[in-house]
Amino acid sequence: MNNRFSILNVIKLAGAYIAFSIGSGFATGQEVMQFFTAFGFSGIIGALVSMLLFAGLGAILMAKGYDLKLKTQTTAFRYYCGKHLGFCLEIFTVVFLFCVVSIMIAGTGAVTGEYFNVNPKIGAILMTAACIITVLMGLKRMVDVVGMIGPIITVFTILIGVATLANFGHLPSALTDFQVQQLFQLRATGGWWFSQYKFLDTAWFSGLLYAACMILGAIPFLSGLGASANSKREAVWGGILGGVFLMLPVILIVLSMLCYPDKIAGLEVPLLYLAGKNAPVLALIFSIILLLGIYSTGAPMFWLVINWVSGFISSKNLLLILTLVLGVIDYFGASIGFGNLISILYPFAGQIGIIMIPVILFKGLKRQ
């Protein structure tokens, strides 16, 4: 067994895991607000549930990815679920990721238009081009590029959280009934059928739903990351550290948001509000970090889509043309917008992800 172990490579692997999971919803604070802050202080319980799942499942998926070393990463579903069901999940996940890439492109246009006074179309075109170019560089180069963005976003998010709590002077106090109601209306479990059952319309289940949704889309990517590790030990620790440091900033941000529940409840980019109010020096920098967060999700997801398509195409020229065509389709798909994505699409994917969790545990821990 290969026992090579590099701390720097573990940080790269963990950073790529974090970067892939962040995206526009996380970096703006929307996901944190809907899945965690909406439940008040109980949201921290949900964040801890997510942390445990992200760390454990991430380690298992990356370790198994190191063992399997799949040529086409989306075929990981066939290993976990069998040929036929696995192929169906492949198609669902590829379509889901393709849609999310459009959402990332749309998010870029919104941020560049609102905070930099740049035509949203220019921002969307630049993000589309960045995704295409990064994909053409290949996964190994992508890990090097994207892997360093994750730790940067984590550090800045922590700084904003610490600055907010320091400026506020103390931990947030108990919320008023009105504030609780305002936040509760935003909860991710308020839709679908979750709200019909009290035990599902809770912070712990929201944490489970969030991790399940993110892990479902990350199965192919984490398999690829594990395969790029120098050893199985690196893969395991990359998954553990990635999961832990993905969620540590979330706990800080939940506390920070609860300092200003009335203000953040109606905002599209609550994290930028916290930065502007409590760390003005960081606000402009964080707006750039926000774009990097969107890129760090959009590019790897677009790569997974192309990686899946490449399994059916042998011609490199044809694959290049299809990459450009799919990039253009994603650009025009961005016109759909992403307003309801988190509240509708993510919980739907989360339900499938919940079913996948015991499957990952059984197959992932099973010896070959």
Side-chain angles (χ1 to χ4, degrees):
M1 180 183 289
N2 191 343
N3 290 315
R4 291 174 59 195
F5 187 83
S6 165
I7 293 294
L8 180 59
N9 204 43
V10 168
I11 293 173
K12 275 187 181 180
L13 294 171
Y17 182 7
I18 293 168
F20 179 84
S21 304
I22 286 176
S24 62
F26 184 105
T28 59
Q30 273 295 322
E31 288 174 13
V32 176
M33 187 160 63
Q34 292 189 30
F35 281 91
F36 305 108
T37 310
F39 295 91
F41 291 97
S42 297
I44 295 174
I45 296 174
L48 291 173
V49 170
S50 284
M51 180 189 291
L52 179 63
L53 290 170
F54 274 121
L57 295 174
I60 291 171
L61 287 167
M62 288 177 68
K64 186 56 67 173
Y66 177 81
D67 289 335
L68 297 175
K69 287 185 169 54
L70 301 171
K71 182 178 179 182
T72 302
Q73 306 309 328
T74 49
T75 56
F77 286 108
R78 299 183 202 180
Y79 171 78
Y80 288 105
C81 302
K83 181 179 179 180
H84 301 295
L85 180 58
F87 184 68
C88 290
L89 281 171
E90 274 184 55
I91 295 174
F92 170 82
T93 303
V94 168
V95 173
F96 171 69
L97 295 178
F98 189 69
C99 291
V100 175
V101 173
S102 281
I103 301 307
M104 297 299 124
I105 292 172
T108 304
V111 172
T112 55
E114 185 172 349
Y115 297 102
F116 295 99
N117 289 322
V118 175
N119 189 316
K121 290 184 179 180
I122 295 177
I125 290 172
L126 290 175
M127 182 57 69
T128 303
C131 288
I132 292 174
I133 292 171
T134 306
V135 166
L136 295 178
M137 289 167 61
L139 178 62
K140 186 65 179 178
R141 292 294 302 277
M142 185 187 300
V143 171
D144 293 338
V145 175
V146 175
M148 298 314 296
I149 294 176
I152 292 172
I153 296 173
T154 300
V155 168
F156 270 85
T157 305
I158 289 173
L159 286 175
I160 291 171
V162 170
T164 299
L165 293 174
N167 189 52
F168 198 68
H170 56 82
L171 290 175
S173 54
L175 303 177
T176 65
D177 291 340
F178 177 70
Q179 290 171 334
V180 169
Q181 186 60 32
Q182 269 190 311
L183 291 175
F184 199 60
Q185 290 174 355
L186 302 172
R187 70 200 188 285
T189 55
W192 291 90
W193 46 274
F194 306 124
S195 59
Q196 298 177 26
Y197 303 91
K198 284 189 175 181
F199 75 98
L200 295 181
D201 197 11
T202 55
W204 72 264
F205 183 76
S206 188
L208 169 62
L209 192 66
Y210 181 68
C213 170
M214 296 295 109
I215 287 294
L216 176 68
I219 288 174
F221 186 72
L222 292 179
S223 297
L225 274 185
S228 71
N230 293 320
S231 66
K232 195 168 185 176
R233 187 177 166 210
E234 277 190 359
V236 169
W237 278 105
I240 292 173
L241 293 181
V244 170
F245 284 97
L246 172 66
M247 294 308 297
L248 275 180
V250 170
I251 295 173
L252 260 179
I253 293 304
V254 169
L255 290 172
S256 300
M257 286 182 173
L258 291 176
C259 293
Y260 307 96
D262 300 324
K263 299 292 185 181
I264 58 98
L267 297 178
E268 288 293 323
V269 193
L271 263 185
L272 204 53
Y273 168 81
L274 294 178
K277 186 172 183 63
N278 300 284
V281 176
L282 296 178
L284 176 60
I285 300 175
F286 185 70
S287 62
I288 298 172
I289 297 297
L290 174 59
L291 293 176
L292 290 176
I294 297 173
Y295 162 77
S296 71
T297 294
M301 286 185 174
F302 189 59
W303 177 85
L304 286 170
V305 173
I306 300 303
N307 181 252
W308 185 78
V309 172
S310 69
F312 303 92
I313 297 174
S314 57
S315 171
K316 290 185 177 181
N317 290 332
L318 181 56
L319 183 61
L320 173 61
I321 293 171
L322 277 175
T323 299
L324 296 173
V325 169
L326 290 174
V328 171
I329 292 173
D330 257 327
Y331 167 76
F332 285 105
S335 61
I336 298 172
F338 64 95
N340 296 319
L341 174 69
I342 296 173
S343 62
I344 296 177
L345 187 57
Y346 282 22
F348 176 64
Q351 294 174 65
I352 298 175
I354 288 174
I355 298 173
M356 282 295 299
I357 288 176
V359 176
I360 293 171
L361 292 174
F362 175 74
K363 293 284 285 186
L365 296 174
K366 181 181 177 181
R367 293 192 175 188
Q368 285 184 302

